[in-house]
Amino acid sequence: GAMTVLAAEELAAYGCARSLVSWHSRHRFCAVCGSATSIAKGGWQRTCANEVCASEHFPRVDPVTIMLVEHDGQVLLGRQPRFAAGSYSALAGFVEPGESIEEAVAREVHEEAGVRVRDVSYVISQPWPFPSSLMIGCHAFADDPAITIDTTELEDARWFSRDDVVDAVESIARSEAGRAFRCPPATAVAHSLLTNWLENS
């Protein structure tokens, strides 16, 4: 809700504060020895109270790929059961240890929708303080549009035409639902991916 009413600079400050507060609440004890930790460096560090250990801990950021997959002038979008009725968004997932961004995009799209992708390119990024993610927006192409949904991840996934996306983006600007789907809000990186695709496709 705050994303819809705060100015950009206020939203950035709120997001930073929210991430730090969440991190402090989850890191009250040292991950090395289990002793209590205390706040240091104005809240940007926690230090183990055990003098033998004295480990220093810092806020973490979890990289998440969010990708718009294109095939024959259409884009692949999905929805989770928790989404508002009619809402669809770009597929997304955490980058796993040892993965490149490109590999994470390919794995997540195949796992969630059964679609193989190629030619992954970076588009835009966005900090996402729920609790501490960095959304890495990408674009990719698919050669085969066949979809096999992993129902543990998605409720639905489908291809939408350029006209569908134009209508959805214009409708969200009027606080309405599009004919084919409800677009992510303008403050979300998925919305930026869709508008970027419209501008460059």
Side-chain angles (χ1 to χ4, degrees):
M3 294 179 72
T4 64
V5 296
L6 293 178
E9 61 275 11
E10 293 175 328
L11 188 58
Y14 165 77
C16 176
R18 190 186 194 285
S19 289
L20 281 175
V21 168
S22 178
W23 176 71
H24 282 295
S25 70
R26 292 179 287 115
H27 289 80
R28 294 178 297 123
F29 298 94
C30 178
V32 178
C33 73
S35 299
T37 60
S38 60
I39 294 175
K41 295 186 178 178
W44 290 94
Q45 178 181 314
R46 293 190 73 91
T47 303
C48 179
N50 179 349
E51 294 182 359
V52 176
C53 178
S55 293
E56 298 177 343
H57 304 277
F58 300 91
R60 61 177 291 172
V61 174
D62 300 317
V64 177
T65 55
I66 180 165
M67 41 278 177
L68 201 61
V69 179
E70 179 179 352
H71 172 76
D72 196 23
Q74 296 184 311
V75 290
L76 177 65
L77 302 175
R79 61 170 283 110
Q80 297 177 353
R82 62 180 177 81
F83 285 9
S87 295
Y88 282 78
S89 185
L91 304 188
F94 287 97
V95 180
E96 295 185 349
E99 273 188 330
S100 67
I101 292 172
E102 294 83 358
E103 289 168 337
V105 167
R107 176 185 52 77
E108 283 290 344
V109 175
H110 186 254
E111 285 180 357
E112 294 186 358
V115 174
R116 297 285 187 185
V117 303
R118 59 174 171 81
D119 299 336
V120 177
S121 60
Y122 168 82
V123 178
I124 192 173
S125 65
Q126 178 187 35
W128 191 251
F130 304 103
S132 57
S133 297
L134 175 64
M135 307 298 290
I136 303 168
C138 298
H139 175 273
F141 290 95
D143 292 321
D144 186 346
I147 296 173
T148 303
I149 298 171
D150 178 356
T151 55
T152 64
E153 296 277 353
L154 298 176
E155 181 180 81
D156 189 28
R158 62 181 70 170
W159 296 96
F160 293 92
S161 70
R162 181 182 178 83
D163 287 345
D164 291 335
V165 175
V166 168
D167 175 68
V169 169
E170 291 177 350
S171 295
I172 201 72
R174 301 188 301 267
S175 301
E176 300 171 356
R179 290 188 298 269
F181 71 100
R182 182 183 295 274
C183 186
T187 48
V189 68
H191 187 280
S192 297
L193 288 173
L194 288 168
T195 55
N196 180 79
W197 178 71
L198 290 176
E199 292 169 1
N200 295 284
S201 62

